Amino acid sequence: MKILQLTDIHLTTPGQTILGRDSNTNFRKALSHALNDHADADLLVITGDLSDWGDEADYKRLRGILDELPVEWALCIGNHDNRERFLSVFPELADENGFVQSVRDMDAGRFVFLDTNQPGTHAGCYCDQRKAWLESQLESCDGPIYLFMHHNPMPVHLAPLDSIRLHQDDAFREFIAGHAQKIRHIFFGHCHLPLAGSVAGIPTTSLRGTNHQGFANFSEKELLTSSHLPQAYGVAFLADDYVTVHMIEFGYEGELKIEGSPDYKQWDRASMER
């Protein structure tokens, strides 16, 4: 099975830019690039920060775009999103408690989409009510299960990012540890960085967003660091005995050298023949 992950698309009022980049245009570029190479994808997931300011108009434009896609899609919300406005446009994605949480059973397993949004802060939260919902999704499935969320569920050891990670992340890790044998992978966003690691023994990955990017600036202890690294999206291949995740830097505008092309030997050492 193949899934596409986009994250931190930060849609905003048409004509406005974020750090000099047009997030609306870049979102469409990401979709075009992804579907050109991966029209056979089984699911497209966007892991939060759908809107930069949580404006209802952004969610309406997003809905219009998604409803025209030739692939199934699923959404999480992030710290920049407004839950109430989002659900006014996507009411079917609310769980019984009014959180943006949903589940989808597909050939590769159960896909569970979490809501880590907490109004009034950029940090994440996963309260007891949300845990109870997740518990029911985990207990009612033998696995494999894949989790999707916005906030990083573990420290990344960049102080400004860790200050806005999922709060009480240790409690979250302890909670899902009881189901670790069922959960094969956790996909998240929020950090605008390519990241890999594990949570309670469960592999987890993240990637750059489709517009502006972070940078692993370990010397900065207080303020977030941004950069003009290429925009990206993710492609994951899910099989019975492995998971492979790629980060595709569709924003890269340099040349690609393909082995066998006339200029490829410029990359060889002067005396090297292959």
Side-chain angles (χ1 to χ4, degrees), residues 83 95 97 99 101 114-119 125-135 175:
R83 186 183 291 116
D95 68 12
N97 300 306
F99 293 107
Q101 302 202 123
L114 308 184
D115 181 341
T116 58
N117 172 284
Q118 182 68 14
C125 176
Y126 208 68
C127 62
D128 289 342
Q129 201 171 38
R130 282 175 270 195
K131 285 180 186 176
W133 179 88
L134 177 56
E135 184 83 37
F175 167 69

Side-chain angles (χ1 to χ4, degrees), residues 49 82 89 99 142 156 158 162 177 184 207 231 242 246 260:
D49 280 356
N82 180 289
V89 181
F99 293 107
D142 292 333
V156 298
L158 294 162
D162 281 343
R184 293 199 59 198
L207 66 157
Q231 305 92 319
Y242 70 86
H246 290 267

Side-chain angles (χ1 to χ4, degrees), residues 154-199:
M154 75 293 197
V156 298
H157 297 275
L158 294 162
L161 278 173
D162 281 343
S163 70
I164 56 171
R165 72 179 187 269
L166 183 71
H167 280 184
Q168 293 83 45
D169 56 321
D170 52 346
F172 179 81
R173 293 193 297 273
E174 182 180 0
F175 167 69
I176 64 170
H179 302 276
Q181 76 281 2
K182 297 181 180 181
I183 304 172
R184 293 199 59 198
H185 203 91
I186 300 174
F187 298 87
F188 67 94
H190 188 49
C191 298
H192 296 240
L193 293 170
L195 292 163
S198 64
V199 170

Side-chain angles (χ1 to χ4, degrees), residues 71-93:
V71 62
E72 291 187 51
W73 49 265
L75 303 174
C76 300
I77 61 171
N79 49 292
H80 279 256
D81 290 305
N82 180 289
R83 186 183 291 116
E84 181 179 357
R85 294 173 193 154
F86 172 83
L87 288 176
S88 72
V89 181
F90 295 91
E92 74 276 19
L93 297 184

Side-chain angles (χ1 to χ4, degrees), residues 239-261:
D240 291 341
D241 58 344
Y242 70 86
V243 173
T244 301
V245 180
H246 290 267
M247 186 180 73
I248 311 299
E249 295 173 308
F250 74 93
Y252 172 69
E253 297 179 350
E255 292 184 88
L256 297 177
K257 304 286 187 178
I258 299 175
E259 189 172 14
S261 61

